[in-house]
Amino acid sequence: MRLDPAELDPGRDPARDLDAHVNARWREATVRPADRAAWDSFSILQAHTEQVLAGLAQAASEDRDAVGAARAVGRVWRAGLDLDARERAGLAPLRPRLEAIAALRTPDEVAAFIDDAHAAGEDLLWRPAVAPDPEAPARPLLGLHPARLTLPDRDDLLDPARRGQRRRRLARAHLRGLLLRAGLCRDQARAQAAAALDLDAALAAALPSPRERDVAAFHQPLSWTDAARRLAPWRLAPCLAAAGVAPPARLSLAVPGFHARAAGLLRERPVEAWRAWLRARLLDLHARHLDADLRARYQRFHGRALRGRARPPEWRQVLEDLDLDLGDALSELYVARAVDGGLRPRMQAVFDGLRTAFLARIDAARWLGERGRRHARAKIAGMRAALVAPECWPDWHGFDTGNDGYAGLLAEARRRARTRLLQRLAAGVGAAWDMPAHRVNARYDPARNRIVVPAALLQPPFLDGVDPAALYGGIGAVMAHEMTHALDDQGRRFDAAGRLAEDAWDASDRAAFDARLAALRAAFEGRGLGDGLRLDGALIAGELVADFGGLAIAHDALRAVLRAGGAGDAERAAADRRFFIAWAVLWRQCLSVEERRLRASVDPHPPAALRADAPARALPAFAAAFGGDAGTGAGLGVW
């Protein structure tokens, strides 16, 4: 998606509202596709990438000599699009496990069933992660994080207000329909759906709010013996043994209260309630993989009701499954066939320029004391960039050894992915990406002090042409945004090696940082978003720091390039205007009503229109570029 100059609205003054000047005409002319909850620069580029991926998967499915990743992707793609076979199978792929649930009689049997699911890569209660240990980054650490529940917003399971009641009603109806399909009578289905959602709510009560941002709270290391005692009656050793891994010396219970609550509920609630929860959970997790009726039920709830999204075409649902369960294999095909080999050195040069600009900003930060400055400089100077794609790929040979149909192939993919993940405990975490190369996104990884920028993001409008203003206003600003997370309210607590370093800053440095962050939050706290929604400053605090700091750093890097090229005043002013316009284009967006409400509750990112306008307005160069009092927000921001 490239900017059409005709989309710029001369009737809307960029000095007063940059977002409206750049994006209002686009919004007025754009109809959000019914099968997309969001239609914006990211999702439009992702839709383009999905077309490329679908072509690669189709070609792989037609290549009878394909091996490795191509064979795995092609086999799953072919089975997923064999809708007649999936219709004939119906619920058969789940029947043995549903029968096993019906046979559970004791809490220990319930725990053993959940243990087996976790070993197979199915996240019923928690999901494992293996990452560098925040206390010793060279050492891998296993963390157990709560799994997602039926509703994506924990407050919807707990909130007595009208919105929460409505969401719970929808969830109960959804689960009741799935249980009816599984053969329960109406009264049984109604009772078990209510019991399942009630257990969900009891688990959700132990989850932290998305507004709680204390990173140390999610690092709770315990010895293996202590962790095993706290997790009882669940057992991790068999899960590790299935992956050929010995129990580690220690692990982290990312949210200890959740694990304690789950163990308590297993003792307190009757086995019948746990059978209902497992039955409903299993059906909800797998409905999307089964016959047309179950797929439609899944999409009506998770798509239409929760996100305002119509059912996508079948090929896209299969592609989503491939992304979830064979993401590495899909990325390997994408990078081999669709990615320019010259991208990595070009992006490395951009990263190097941004790092130089960030270091200069740290040096110029008068509010920062010497100890905090040394920490910040060391962290940014030592930061690395993982660009385009991983250097090596998993081995997919031997994946398709049987003919278990679509659900069976996905189950095998999940089992393999879980085994590879746990084997990092023995092999080390290395340079694992944890983000597919075909994902239109980027991230900062505090444990490795690096940014990760996948290949799919390196396309228009993020990377477009050779104009340095568009380059730094686009992908440069996105990369600088991720770099700034290294020194946001949570990232600054890690040192350059990825260790949690609570004492890295003096109290005066911390107080000065907190004051600047408080001013940034206060500028937007409670701002109306329409439909009765309000901006939550605590939720978006870290992203505000990264937006404001990232755009400032990217602009500094652009100015350095222009100076090196001998640009004059007029050329610099024109480049500044193109820079701010390129930034604003990234945040054009149309959302469904349901998606907007969900994001206001759980998304730590500010609304798109605010992102387009406010960070730009904070820079003095914005006023110079567009005139008037454009820089009324000057001085906001931490970096």
Side-chain angles (χ1 to χ4, degrees):
M1 180 182 71
R2 289 184 164 90
L3 172 69
D4 180 351
E7 291 172 344
L8 300 178
D9 188 347
R12 292 178 166 104
D13 184 2
R16 297 178 63 84
D17 190 339
L18 179 64
D19 173 66
H21 174 68
V22 176
N23 296 324
R25 281 184 170 179
W26 177 86
R27 279 193 293 266
E28 291 162 0
T30 297
V31 177
R32 175 182 58 85
D35 60 352
R36 304 274 182 177
W39 197 238
D40 52 31
S41 293
F42 288 82
S43 57
I44 291 170
L45 181 51
Q46 192 66 61
H48 166 73
T49 303
E50 286 168 0
Q51 294 285 346
V52 175
L53 293 170
L56 294 172
Q58 181 63 32
S61 73
E62 295 169 357
D63 183 359
R64 301 300 175 179
D65 298 322
V67 296
R71 179 175 173 82
V73 168
R75 182 68 183 90
V76 173
W77 180 259
R78 191 162 60 247
L81 292 181
D82 188 349
L83 302 181
D84 289 341
R86 292 169 68 180
E87 201 65 24
R88 289 192 300 271
L91 262 174
L94 285 190
R95 283 294 179 198
R97 300 186 66 204
L98 291 171
E99 291 168 2
I101 290 170
L104 299 175
R105 293 292 178 267
T106 68
D108 285 344
E109 290 176 354
V110 171
F113 183 93
I114 293 173
D115 288 341
D116 289 343
H118 289 155
E122 200 169 59
D123 300 331
L124 295 184
L125 265 179
W126 57 73
R127 58 177 180 83
V130 179
D133 188 332
E135 295 176 32
R139 179 177 64 202
L141 180 70
L142 173 63
L144 298 181
H145 301 260
R148 292 191 178 193
L149 300 174
T150 307
L151 287 166
D153 183 354
R154 65 177 289 276
D155 291 345
D156 284 342
L157 286 161
L158 305 171
D159 184 7
R162 183 182 301 175
R163 178 178 183 267
Q165 292 176 2
R166 177 179 176 275
R167 290 293 182 93
R168 290 192 293 276
R169 250 193 334 269
L170 290 169
R172 279 193 295 271
H174 166 63
L175 296 179
R176 183 168 64 247
L178 294 178
L179 291 164
L180 283 169
R181 267 299 313 272
L184 275 66
C185 71
R186 290 190 177 276
D187 288 344
Q188 288 175 321
R190 183 180 300 107
Q192 291 195 23
L197 205 63
D198 183 59
L199 194 48
D200 252 12
L203 290 166
L207 291 174
S209 163
R211 296 155 191 82
E212 297 174 22
R213 293 178 39 78
D214 183 2
V215 66
F218 295 91
H219 173 59
Q220 300 290 328
L222 296 168
S223 71
W224 172 262
T225 302
D226 287 345
R229 185 173 63 250
R230 292 200 191 189
L231 285 172
W234 286 284
R235 300 172 64 231
L236 277 177
C239 178
L240 294 169
V245 177
R250 65 181 204 156
L251 57 85
S252 173
L253 301 184
V255 183
F258 176 85
H259 300 287
R261 183 65 174 145
L265 288 168
L266 187 58
R267 293 189 299 269
E268 298 162 11
R269 298 291 174 97
V271 170
E272 181 181 1
W274 278 94
R275 285 200 302 265
W277 184 81
L278 286 171
R279 194 176 283 119
R281 187 120 173 92
L282 198 70
L283 288 163
D284 186 46
L285 284 173
H286 294 286
R288 57 182 291 151
H289 308 143
L290 301 172
D291 61 37
D293 172 67
L294 288 165
R295 296 197 302 278
R297 291 175 185 275
Y298 180 92
Q299 291 296 337
R300 276 198 301 271
F301 177 64
H302 289 285
R304 174 68 76 184
L306 297 186
R307 310 293 293 273
R309 183 185 81 171
R311 184 176 176 179
E314 294 290 352
W315 69 264
R316 233 180 69 219
Q317 295 181 64
V318 175
L319 195 64
E320 288 175 7
D321 291 339
L322 275 167
D323 181 42
L324 286 171
D325 296 328
L326 292 93
D328 287 334
L330 202 56
S331 283
E332 184 177 349
L333 300 191
Y334 177 72
V335 170
R337 310 279 179 86
V339 176
D340 178 0
L343 272 178
R344 187 176 280 116
R346 185 182 179 195
M347 290 301 98
Q348 184 64 49
V350 173
F351 173 76
D352 291 342
L354 294 168
R355 180 166 51 192
T356 299
F358 201 168
L359 290 169
R361 282 209 157 244
I362 292 168
D363 289 340
R366 296 180 180 178
W367 57 270
L368 189 60
E370 191 55 38
R371 189 178 180 199
R373 196 182 315 279
R374 283 198 307 270
H375 169 268
R377 277 195 62 86
K379 188 159 189 188
I380 301 307
M383 184 183 290
R384 296 174 295 114
L387 302 169
V388 182
E391 298 286 351
C392 58
W393 302 100
D395 181 7
W396 287 93
H397 287 85
F399 168 72
D400 180 18
T401 55
N403 187 19
D404 295 323
Y406 188 54
L409 288 168
L410 293 177
E412 172 62 12
R414 286 191 295 274
R415 186 194 65 76
R416 280 176 167 247
R418 181 57 42 88
T419 296
R420 284 197 303 271
L421 174 74
L422 295 176
Q423 285 175 346
R424 293 185 193 173
L425 288 169
V429 292
W433 267 47
D434 301 322
M435 178 178 279
H438 59 267
R439 185 70 46 80
V440 179
N441 206 340
R443 64 186 287 259
Y444 172 69
D445 177 356
R448 299 175 180 88
N449 191 27
R450 66 176 183 176
I451 62 168
V452 179
V453 184
L457 187 66
L458 303 175
Q459 304 178 75
F462 298 91
L463 177 61
D464 193 3
V466 296
D467 176 17
L471 174 70
Y472 283 94
I475 191 62
V478 173
M479 292 169 69
H481 168 104
E482 300 303 336
M483 295 169 72
T484 308
H485 277 308
L487 294 176
D488 69 10
D489 57 324
Q490 298 302 312
R492 69 177 177 82
R493 299 168 67 179
F494 292 84
D495 68 12
R499 284 184 294 265
L500 268 175
E502 296 293 343
D503 59 350
W505 289 27
D506 290 329
S508 59
D509 289 337
R510 291 195 294 271
F513 180 99
D514 291 344
R516 295 176 75 84
L517 177 58
L520 185 58
R521 281 180 51 181
F524 305 105
E525 183 73 60
R527 178 177 291 195
L529 302 175
D531 297 324
L533 302 174
R534 294 280 174 185
L535 201 58
D536 186 334
L539 179 64
I540 65 173
E543 298 297 332
L544 283 173
V545 173
D547 276 349
F548 278 72
L551 191 63
I553 291 162
H555 185 260
D556 289 351
L558 169 63
R559 281 294 179 90
V561 170
L562 295 176
R563 281 195 302 272
D569 291 345
E571 188 177 350
R572 286 198 300 271
D576 283 348
R577 287 191 288 274
R578 297 196 305 276
F579 170 86
F580 289 119
I581 288 170
W583 164 256
V585 166
L586 304 184
W587 308 115
R588 48 181 48 179
Q589 184 181 80
C590 295
L591 299 177
S592 69
V593 172
E594 294 83 355
E595 183 73 6
R596 187 165 65 251
R597 287 187 175 278
L598 179 63
R599 292 192 184 194
S601 298
V602 303
D603 187 357
H605 297 88
L610 186 153
R611 302 183 81 175
D613 191 72
R617 193 174 300 282
L619 297 180
F622 184 74
F626 294 110
D629 61 350
T632 52
L636 278 178
V638 175
W639 299 106

